[in-house]
């Protein structure tokens, strides 16, 4: 297996694990209610009982709700990285950096121009964050599919 394939598997695998953990925790919470964690046997008994008593529409509802939060978080993180890499926050960063230097630096020399700052930032931009957008979009697509199934079943 090539190094690039391994990196892609780690990136997408971590997103899938994040979505699965968030969804699983939400569904388990919906199944068991408010059972204290230290009482594992009662917890799993409550989950099993709720699972047997819940209908298909209830399960669709739980999974749709559980997938929504990780989908939105992945999409938001990817969008913020994309916007930041486009240079939208460069002026804010330049201003804050100059303010910090003005009040903390003892030698208050020239800070450089905004153009120099932007050129320096272009060299340091992040690469390879598209997996967040792709994973979030796929997860949101599954969420919308489950929502359509839930609404058509109920």
């Amino acid at each position: 297996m090539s190094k690039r394939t391994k990196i892609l598997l780690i990136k997408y695998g971590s997103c899938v694990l994040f979505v699965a953990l968030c969804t699983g925790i939400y569904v388990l919470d919906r199944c068991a209610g408010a059972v204290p964690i230290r009482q594992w046997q009662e917890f799993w008994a409550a989950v099993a009982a709720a699972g047997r008593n819940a209908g298909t529409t209830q399960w669709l509802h739980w999974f749709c709700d559980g997938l929504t939060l990780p989908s939105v978080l992945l999409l938001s993180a990817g969008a913020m990285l994309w916007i930041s890499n486009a240079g939208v926050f460069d002026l804010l960063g330049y201003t804050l950096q100059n303010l910090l230097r003005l009040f903390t630096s003892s030698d208050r020399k020239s800070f450089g121009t905004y153009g120099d700052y932007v050129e320096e930032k272009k060299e340091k931009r992040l690469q390879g964050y598209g997996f967040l957008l792709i994973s979030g979009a796929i997860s949101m697509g599954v969420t919308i599919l489950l929502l359509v199934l839930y609404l058509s079943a109920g």
Side-chain angles (χ1 to χ4, degrees), residues 13-153:
S14 63
C15 287
V16 168
L17 183 63
F18 173 71
V19 170
L21 282 174
C22 289
T23 304
I25 289 170
Y26 180 83
V27 170
L28 284 175
D29 180 59
R30 294 290 103 200
C31 284
V35 176
I37 295 296
R38 63 178 175 249
Q39 300 170 356
W40 286 105
Q41 290 176 335
E42 292 177 21
F43 174 77
W44 291 114
V47 168
R52 284 190 297 272
N53 295 336
T56 306
T57 55
Q58 189 64 45
W59 280 102
L60 286 172
H61 183 197
W62 289 340
F63 276 103
C64 181
D65 286 351
L67 281 170
T68 301
L69 179 67
S71 302
V72 169
L73 288 176
L74 287 172
L75 283 171
S76 299
M80 285 300 289
L81 284 170
W82 182 48
I83 289 169
S84 177
N85 276 351
V88 173
F89 300 121
D90 284 350
L91 182 60
L92 179 66
Y94 177 73
T95 305
L96 290 176
Q97 182 181 16
N98 282 339
L99 279 174
L100 281 173
R101 282 187 187 168
L102 180 68
F103 292 115
T104 59
S105 179
S106 60
D107 61 347
R108 295 197 180 107
K109 55 184 172 181
S110 175
F111 301 128
T113 65
Y114 176 67
D116 295 338
Y117 178 80
V118 170
E119 288 301 319
E120 182 182 321
K121 289 295 278 187
K122 279 184 183 176
E123 297 170 2
K124 298 179 182 178
R125 302 264 189 234
L126 291 176
Q127 300 293 323
Y129 58 88
F131 72 96
L132 292 171
L133 291 169
I134 293 169
S135 299
I138 291 170
S139 179
M140 187 58 77
V142 171
T143 302
I144 292 171
L145 176 69
L146 289 175
L147 178 64
V148 168
L149 290 172
Y150 170 70
L151 293 175
S152 65

